[in-house]
Amino acid sequence: MSKVIEQDHHEHHDHHHPSGGIKRWLYTTNHKDIGTLYLWFAFIMFLIGGCMALVIRAELFQPGLQIVDPDFFNQMTTVHGLIMVFGAVMPAFTGLANWMVPMMIGAPDMALPRMNNWSFWILPFAFFILLMSLFMEGGGPNFGWTFYAPLSTTYSNDSTALFVFSVHIMGMSSIMGAINVIVTIFNLRAPGMTLMKMPLFVWTWLITAFLLIAVMPVLAGAVTMVLTDKYFGTSFFNAAGGGDPVMFQHIFWFFGHPEVYIMILPAFGIVSTIVPTFSRKRLFGYSSMVYATASIALLSFVVWAHHMFTTGMPLFGELFFMYCTMLISVPTGVKVFNWVATMWRGAMTFEIPMMFSIAFIILFTIGGFSGLMLAITPADFQYHDTYFVVAHFHYVLVTGAIFSIIAAVYYWLPKWTGNMYDEGLAKLHFWCSLISVNVLFFPMHFVGLAGMPRRIPDYAIQFADFNALISVGAFAFGFSQLIFLYLLIKCIRENHQVPAKVWEGADGLEWEVPSPAPYHTFEKPPLIR
Amino acid sequence: MDSQRLDNTALVKRLVLITLAMFGFGFMLVPLYDVFCDVTGLNGKTSDTAAQAPTSLIDESREVTVEFWSRTQGAMPWEFQPTLKKIKVHPGKVTKVFFRASNRSNDDMVGQAIPSVSPGLAANYFHKIECFCFNQQPVKAGETVDMPLIFYVDPALPAKFTTLTLSYTMFDISNQIAATSLTNGESS
């Protein structure tokens, strides 16, 4: 360990600027480089997963089977889910953590830079394995991203082995990333940066990291059990050998529900950073935000069975999980009201990061409300496995997590590149995304309530109009993201110098370093007021 | 810097320990699930070991209807039916019934029946003294066997339960048996 740090120290003195070429990216231990790698990787995965979503929507444009056969359709829904969850949202948040956490707490780098390099560079292999499995004989995984047994054991093909190994690698990457974040936050804070002075993005990421190391190993266990059930004759989920397929769902959702909060807590941190900046006020209720985040994280461990209301639980179990789930809306409500109170009587301006944040607050709340509807056990029997569920989790994941990531990129992009982005293009991107995403996901509530099931390539004729509309929204939203890609490249290449403090209402250590942020920052710890 | 380094290593060790513990916990959920189901009687699982003959008196004051139901899993080419669809018993009275399995295929096969009781909360009050589900059932090609079940309903069964449904699902385990040795299969 000492050697690593000493060597690392030498490198700092030897060359302050990165070496050129591919080696810079392969060997880098710099948190900003690794953050950039994570963010680009997430964006590429977002586009690949998006293409799969468009295959799904193209097939569903009309009733009947036109473009793909049902088995390939199922592979698309499965891999779309896996890529968006593990390839787009989670690496994007890890990338933001890499870039911003050390700068926000006045640390020179992440605490474990070598491991940081590893945790990124195993990710491309994980997704290469997963994507290549689609080209195997018999096709890739087709059992849904939740890989319920026995679909993934008895009825799956041999690509399951590749699926299992790629999930193992993704899990290792997330766990290493999480350990790194925790050690950085605990050990590398600048003197005077007490826990309750930390920016909320750092707080939410600290809690997220603990969630990650608590539940990603359980996911690893679940996929291992699927592997041994399929290939080594164990009977964890096989009733013939004394196992129980329902137990799979319990184990999976014990991971799966905290995973949901892993994908939204950093978003809360981002919005809590952006809203005060453009309201020119301090964040309303800082400490209540911290406690609300912690209580959401704790509650997330006792609500998993609300995904399983229709599996035949006893009444007491259904009531317990229903009330616990509803309880989560209390801390979440604290957060939403705090954001609104922060904006209340603030000197508000509506720059693009703020626009995405406000869209987040409104649309995430819609997703939260449909979640509350799903939490009502008797109602859930109707909603279960319909497009209403699809509408719900896309409102919290696309207009929630993804919108917050886009807001964060707009907010810190001038700091990263030293250039201001093209405001006109950004507005175009915002309005195209906002309108199309609602055309895409809002009608799903209606077809879901009318009974259209999820994960089915064909549907009854009465859903045709709404599905055509949804598909139009999907393609519009997909192509809107190309504006974003163009804007990013333009911003990196062009030269519109910005000052160190890009937003005059911004608060935090990251605005005290020049723009673009130099390769090494805070080699001497800053003074905390 | 020195104290910092120690801090990092110690903290990383602890976090790795949590990670490994949670990996273990994922597997611990399997026995915990069974224990939870045993204790609460949820999931309709009956005991997979033979019960002793009843020691309490037969409760003549009430009758409980026990329904029998059976199915084969997947496309298993067996006919598998209870010889009796339902029976009224006094709690505490030992009763013997038969299930009939016919192997309609041209191969010798081995089946394993998995029982389930509904309502699930009554499962702990259903006692099997002898059951074909305790053993694997080899049935030769074209053969028909009658398989016995000897059971009694616990007199402690709460009065709100007037009907119990016992269902069996027959799984085809011929392939698993072929994979392991035959003696192994008989001993279990």
Side-chain angles (χ1 to χ4, degrees), chain A residues 451-471:
Chain A
M452 179 169 161
R454 23 177 328 207
R455 291 172 170 159
I456 305 284
D458 189 7
Y459 48 83
I461 202 89
Q462 72 262 32
F463 305 128
D465 291 349
F466 268 137
N467 269 289
L469 183 67
I470 292 168
S471 289

Side-chain angles (χ1 to χ4, degrees), chain A residues 75-259:
Chain A
Q75 294 172 32
M76 285 292 103
T77 54
T78 305
V79 183
H80 163 76
L82 289 168
I83 291 219
M84 289 306 200
V85 169
F86 297 106
V89 174
M90 287 167 66
F93 280 135
T94 315
L96 290 170
N98 260 294
W99 251 104
M100 301 320 300
V101 166
M103 276 160 77
M104 285 175 150
I105 60 173
D109 204 309
M110 297 294 277
L112 311 159
R114 296 271 161 123
M115 193 169 84
N116 208 9
N117 176 292
W118 269 104
S119 64
F120 173 76
W121 276 111
I122 59 175
L123 261 192
F125 294 96
F127 286 92
F128 182 76
I129 292 172
L130 181 64
L131 286 171
M132 285 307 111
S133 76
L134 285 172
F135 300 100
M136 269 179 78
E137 204 178 312
N142 61 1
F143 30 69
W145 86 276
T146 50
F147 61 103
Y148 276 15
L151 291 177
S152 57
T153 52
T154 314
Y155 299 104
S156 65
N157 62 24
D158 279 335
S159 66
T160 309
L162 294 184
F163 158 81
V164 167
F165 291 132
S166 77
V167 170
H168 272 148
I169 302 174
M170 294 168 201
M172 277 190 264
S173 164
S174 312
I175 290 166
M176 287 198 280
I179 288 177
N180 213 341
V181 168
I182 295 173
V183 177
T184 307
I185 295 174
F186 276 177
N187 283 357
L188 289 189
R189 273 173 291 131
M193 175 65 79
T194 57
L195 284 175
M196 288 313 269
K197 273 188 191 166
M198 293 196 309
L200 257 165
F201 180 69
V202 180
W203 253 117
T204 53
W205 237 110
L206 180 65
I207 293 166
T208 304
F210 273 109
L211 283 181
L212 275 167
I213 61 166
V215 299
M216 289 309 279
V218 177
L219 174 71
V223 291
T224 310
M225 289 181 218
V226 165
L227 187 79
T228 57
D229 262 19
K230 187 167 170 55
Y231 292 103
F232 301 107
T234 59
S235 298
F236 287 110
F237 310 127
N238 182 2
D244 190 337
V246 175
M247 187 180 68
F248 173 86
Q249 298 185 28
H250 282 289
I251 296 176
F252 178 82
W253 287 115
F254 183 82
F255 145 79
H257 204 76
E259 167 70 14

Side-chain angles (χ1 to χ4, degrees), chain A residues 2 5 112 155 175 179 182-183 186-188 213-214 217-218 220-221 225 236 239-240 244 246-247 250 254 314, chain B residues 1 4-5 7-9 11-12 15-16 19 22-23 25-27 29-30 33 42-43 45 73 112 114 171 176:
Chain A
S2 62
I5 286 179
L112 311 159
Y155 299 104
I175 290 166
I179 288 177
I182 295 173
V183 177
F186 276 177
N187 283 357
L188 289 189
I213 61 166
V218 177
M225 289 181 218
F236 287 110
D244 190 337
V246 175
M247 187 180 68
H250 282 289
F254 183 82
Chain B
M1 203 64 199
Q4 183 87 79
R5 212 183 309 141
D7 266 5
N8 279 1
T9 328
L11 190 54
V12 169
L15 294 172
V16 170
T19 307
M22 287 309 290
F23 186 70
F25 178 72
F27 284 89
L29 284 172
V30 178
Y33 182 80
L42 291 176
N43 214 13
K45 273 195 178 178
Q73 207 271 334
Q112 169 74 58
I114 302 290
F171 286 79
Q176 279 114 295

Side-chain angles (χ1 to χ4, degrees), chain A residues 254-514:
Chain A
F254 183 82
F255 145 79
H257 204 76
E259 167 70 14
V260 172
Y261 295 108
I262 287 166
M263 290 191 286
I264 204 65
L265 293 184
F268 292 163
I270 290 165
V271 173
S272 306
T273 311
I274 294 175
V275 168
T277 300
F278 299 104
S279 305
R280 286 157 190 84
K281 276 174 65 188
R282 288 183 55 188
L283 179 71
F284 185 88
Y286 170 88
S287 49
S288 69
M289 286 293 214
V290 173
Y291 297 132
T293 311
S295 29
I296 291 173
L298 288 176
L299 282 171
S300 76
F301 285 102
V302 291
V303 297
W304 76 90
H306 67 206
H307 297 266
M308 307 167 50
F309 280 149
T310 58
T311 53
M313 268 190 283
L315 185 64
F316 174 79
E318 307 216 312
L319 290 177
F320 173 82
F321 286 109
M322 174 169 103
Y323 290 133
C324 282
T325 306
M326 289 178 161
L327 208 58
I328 291 185
S329 63
V330 176
T332 316
V334 167
K335 290 187 160 286
V336 172
F337 285 122
N338 277 351
W339 292 322
V340 175
T342 307
M343 289 189 272
W344 178 250
R345 293 193 170 162
M348 287 172 71
T349 51
F350 297 94
E351 282 85 347
I352 298 301
M354 185 65 166
M355 299 285 260
F356 271 104
S357 297
I358 294 171
F360 168 95
I361 294 170
I362 294 166
L363 298 175
F364 174 79
T365 306
I366 291 177
F369 276 131
S370 57
L372 262 181
M373 290 170 74
L374 286 163
I376 302 167
T377 309
D380 182 73
F381 275 70
Q382 186 195 344
Y383 305 154
H384 185 84
D385 249 351
T386 68
Y387 260 82
F388 190 81
V389 179
V390 179
H392 158 69
F393 68 72
H394 280 94
Y395 261 89
V396 288
L397 281 177
V398 179
T399 60
I402 301 270
F403 267 33
S404 81
I405 291 164
I406 295 175
V409 169
Y410 278 118
Y411 186 62
W412 286 306
L413 191 62
K415 174 56 66 188
W416 299 338
T417 63
N419 299 325
M420 186 46 92
Y421 53 79
D422 186 325
E423 182 87 21
L425 273 180
K427 275 184 183 153
L428 184 71
H429 173 224
F430 172 74
W431 287 109
C432 285
S433 296
L434 182 73
I435 293 166
S436 61
V437 87
N438 283 293
V439 174
L440 163 56
F441 294 123
F442 208 77
M444 285 184 182
H445 290 116
F446 306 133
V447 289
L449 289 180
M452 179 169 161
R454 23 177 328 207
R455 291 172 170 159
I456 305 284
D458 189 7
Y459 48 83
I461 202 89
Q462 72 262 32
F463 305 128
D465 291 349
F466 268 137
N467 269 289
L469 183 67
I470 292 168
S471 289
V472 169
F475 277 86
F477 183 71
F479 288 121
S480 304
Q481 305 320 308
L482 296 181
I483 306 173
F484 188 42
L485 176 64
Y486 177 72
L487 177 142
L488 289 175
I489 294 168
K490 193 164 177 252
C491 177
I492 291 166
R493 293 194 154 189
E494 280 181 1
N495 203 354
H496 295 283
Q497 280 288 315
V498 286
K501 195 167 183 175
V502 180
W503 317 103
E504 98 278 0
D507 188 30
L509 289 174
E510 74 263 36
W511 307 109
E512 287 174 16
V513 300

Side-chain angles (χ1 to χ4, degrees), chain A residues 54-86:
Chain A
L54 293 186
V55 172
I56 295 167
R57 285 320 314 176
E59 175 57 52
L60 292 173
F61 184 66
Q62 285 184 317
L65 296 174
Q66 284 92 19
I67 299 168
V68 293
D69 65 81
D71 185 49
F72 188 71
F73 183 91
N74 290 342
Q75 294 172 32
M76 285 292 103
T77 54
T78 305
V79 183
H80 163 76
L82 289 168
I83 291 219
M84 289 306 200
V85 169
F86 297 106

